[in-house]
Coordinates of all heavy atoms in Angstrom, one line a residue:
Y108 N -5.8 -11.4 16.0 CA -5.7 -11.6 17.5 C -6.3 -10.4 18.2 O -7.1 -10.6 19.2 CB -4.2 -11.8 17.8 CG -3.8 -12.1 19.2 CD1 -4.5 -13.0 20.0 CD2 -2.6 -11.6 19.7 CE1 -4.0 -13.3 21.3 CE2 -2.1 -11.9 20.9 CZ -2.9 -12.7 21.7 OH -2.4 -13.0 23.0
F112 N -10.0 -10.0 20.8 CA -10.3 -9.5 22.2 C -11.6 -8.6 22.2 O -12.4 -8.7 23.1 CB -9.1 -8.7 22.7 CG -7.9 -9.6 23.1 CD1 -6.8 -9.6 22.3 CD2 -8.0 -10.3 24.3 CE1 -5.8 -10.5 22.6 CE2 -6.9 -11.1 24.6 CZ -5.8 -11.2 23.8
P152 N 3.2 -2.0 25.1 CA 4.6 -2.2 24.5 C 4.5 -2.2 23.0 O 3.5 -2.3 22.4 CB 4.9 -3.6 24.9 CG 3.6 -4.3 24.9 CD 2.6 -3.3 25.3
N154 N 5.9 -4.3 20.9 CA 6.1 -5.6 20.2 C 4.7 -6.2 19.7 O 4.7 -7.0 18.8 CB 6.8 -6.7 21.0 CG 6.1 -7.0 22.3 OD1 5.2 -6.3 22.8 ND2 6.5 -8.1 22.9
F155 N 3.6 -5.7 20.3 CA 2.3 -6.1 19.8 C 1.5 -4.7 19.8 O 0.7 -4.4 20.7 CB 1.6 -7.1 20.7 CG 2.1 -8.5 20.5 CD1 3.3 -8.9 21.1 CD2 1.5 -9.3 19.6 CE1 3.8 -10.2 20.9 CE2 2.0 -10.6 19.4 CZ 3.2 -11.0 20.0
A158 N -2.6 -5.7 19.6 CA -3.2 -6.7 20.5 C -3.1 -6.3 22.0 O -3.9 -6.6 22.8 CB -2.7 -8.1 20.3
M159 N -1.9 -5.7 22.3 CA -1.7 -5.3 23.7 C -2.6 -4.1 24.1 O -2.9 -3.9 25.3 CB -0.3 -5.0 24.0 CG 0.6 -6.2 23.9 SD 0.1 -7.7 24.9 CE -0.6 -8.7 23.6
R162 N -6.3 -6.0 24.3 CA -6.4 -6.9 25.5 C -6.7 -6.1 26.8 O -7.3 -6.7 27.7 CB -5.1 -7.7 25.6 CG -5.1 -8.8 26.5 CD -4.1 -9.9 26.2 NE -2.8 -9.6 26.7 CZ -1.7 -10.3 26.5 NH1 -1.8 -11.4 25.7 NH2 -0.6 -10.0 27.0
T230 N 2.0 -3.2 30.3 CA 2.8 -4.4 29.8 C 4.2 -3.8 29.4 O 4.3 -2.8 28.7 CB 2.1 -5.0 28.5 OG1 0.9 -5.5 28.8 CG2 3.0 -6.1 28.0
G231 N 5.2 -4.5 30.0 CA 6.6 -4.0 29.7 C 7.5 -4.7 30.6 O 7.2 -5.8 31.2
E253 N 1.8 -6.8 33.3 CA 2.3 -8.0 32.6 C 3.7 -7.7 32.3 O 4.0 -6.8 31.4 CB 1.4 -8.2 31.3 CG 1.5 -9.5 30.7 CD 2.5 -9.6 29.6 OE1 2.1 -9.3 28.4 OE2 3.6 -9.9 29.8
L254 N 4.6 -8.4 33.0 CA 6.0 -8.0 33.0 C 6.9 -9.0 32.2 O 6.4 -9.8 31.4 CB 6.5 -7.8 34.4 CG 5.6 -6.8 35.2 CD1 6.1 -6.7 36.7 CD2 5.6 -5.4 34.6
R281 N 8.8 -16.2 16.7 CA 7.7 -15.3 16.5 C 8.2 -13.9 16.7 O 8.9 -13.6 17.7 CB 6.7 -15.7 17.5 CG 5.4 -15.2 17.4 CD 4.5 -15.9 18.5 NE 3.4 -15.1 18.8 CZ 2.9 -14.9 20.0 NH1 3.4 -15.5 21.0 NH2 1.8 -14.2 20.1
N282 N 7.9 -13.0 15.8 CA 8.3 -11.6 15.9 C 9.8 -11.4 16.2 O 10.2 -10.6 17.0 CB 7.4 -10.9 17.0 CG 7.5 -9.4 16.9 OD1 7.8 -8.8 15.9 ND2 7.1 -8.7 18.0
Q285 N 10.9 -11.4 19.7 CA 10.6 -10.2 20.6 C 9.2 -10.3 21.2 O 8.3 -9.5 20.9 CB 10.7 -9.0 19.7 CG 12.1 -8.8 19.1 CD 12.1 -7.6 18.1 OE1 12.7 -6.6 18.3 NE2 11.4 -7.8 17.0
T286 N 8.9 -11.4 21.9 CA 7.6 -11.5 22.7 C 8.0 -11.9 24.1 O 9.0 -12.6 24.3 CB 6.6 -12.4 22.1 OG1 6.7 -13.7 22.7 CG2 6.6 -12.5 20.6
C287 N 7.2 -11.5 25.0 CA 7.4 -11.9 26.4 C 7.3 -13.4 26.7 O 7.8 -13.8 27.7 CB 6.4 -11.2 27.3 SG 6.4 -9.5 27.2
I288 N 6.6 -14.1 25.8 CA 6.5 -15.5 26.1 C 7.3 -16.4 25.1 O 7.2 -17.6 25.1 CB 5.0 -16.0 26.1 CG1 4.3 -15.7 24.7 CG2 4.2 -15.3 27.2 CD1 3.0 -16.4 24.6
C289 N 8.1 -15.8 24.3 CA 9.1 -16.5 23.5 C 10.0 -17.4 24.4 O 10.4 -16.8 25.4 CB 10.0 -15.6 22.7 SG 9.4 -15.0 21.2
E384 N 16.2 -11.8 29.6 CA 15.4 -11.9 28.4 C 16.2 -11.3 27.2 O 16.7 -10.1 27.3 CB 14.2 -11.0 28.6 CG 12.9 -11.6 28.2 CD 11.7 -10.7 28.5 OE1 11.8 -9.6 29.1 OE2 10.6 -11.1 28.1
F386 N 15.2 -11.1 23.9 CA 14.3 -10.4 23.0 C 14.9 -10.3 21.6 O 15.0 -9.2 21.0 CB 14.0 -9.0 23.5 CG 12.5 -8.8 23.8 CD1 11.8 -9.6 24.6 CD2 11.8 -7.8 23.2 CE1 10.4 -9.5 24.9 CE2 10.4 -7.6 23.4 CZ 9.7 -8.5 24.3
L412 N 6.4 -16.2 33.8 CA 5.3 -15.9 32.8 C 4.8 -17.2 32.1 O 3.8 -17.7 32.4 CB 5.8 -14.8 31.9 CG 4.7 -14.3 30.9 CD1 3.5 -13.7 31.6 CD2 5.3 -13.1 30.0
V442 N 2.5 -21.9 21.1 CA 1.9 -20.5 21.1 C 0.5 -20.6 21.7 O -0.6 -20.7 21.1 CB 1.7 -20.0 19.6 CG1 1.2 -18.6 19.6 CG2 3.1 -20.1 18.9
P443 N 0.4 -20.5 23.1 CA -0.9 -20.7 23.8 C -1.8 -19.5 23.8 O -3.0 -19.7 24.1 CB -0.4 -21.1 25.2 CG 0.9 -20.5 25.4 CD 1.5 -20.4 24.0
S444 N -1.3 -18.3 23.5 CA -2.1 -17.1 23.6 C -3.4 -17.1 22.9 O -3.5 -17.5 21.7 CB -1.3 -15.9 23.1 OG 0.0 -15.9 23.5
T445 N -4.5 -16.7 23.5 CA -5.8 -16.6 22.9 C -6.7 -15.7 23.8 O -6.6 -15.7 25.0 CB -6.4 -18.1 22.8 OG1 -7.7 -18.0 22.2 CG2 -6.5 -18.8 24.1
F450 N -4.1 -14.5 30.6 CA -2.6 -14.3 30.3 C -2.0 -13.5 31.4 O -2.5 -12.4 31.7 CB -2.5 -13.6 29.0 CG -1.1 -13.5 28.4 CD1 -0.8 -14.2 27.3 CD2 -0.2 -12.6 28.9 CE1 0.5 -14.1 26.7 CE2 1.1 -12.5 28.4 CZ 1.4 -13.3 27.3
E461 N -4.9 -10.9 32.0 CA -5.6 -10.3 30.9 C -6.1 -11.4 30.0 O -5.4 -12.4 29.7 CB -4.6 -9.4 30.0 CG -4.1 -8.2 30.8 CD -3.2 -7.3 29.9 OE1 -2.6 -7.8 29.0 OE2 -3.2 -6.1 30.2
Ligands
SIN501 C1 3.6 -10.3 24.9 O1 4.7 -10.4 24.4 O2 3.5 -9.6 25.9 C2 2.4 -10.8 24.3 C3 2.5 -12.2 23.7 C4 1.2 -12.8 23.4 O3 0.1 -12.2 23.6 O4 1.2 -13.9 22.8

Side-chain angles (χ1 to χ4, degrees):
Y108 181 40
F112 286 103
N154 62 343
F155 284 84
M159 294 306 101
R162 193 154 82 183
T230 298
E253 198 262 274
L254 307 177
R281 194 174 159 220
N282 199 19
Q285 301 172 112
T286 91
C287 302
I288 61 167
C289 277
E384 234 177 349
F386 242 57
L412 185 56
V442 186
S444 316
T445 178
F450 188 106
E461 293 186 332

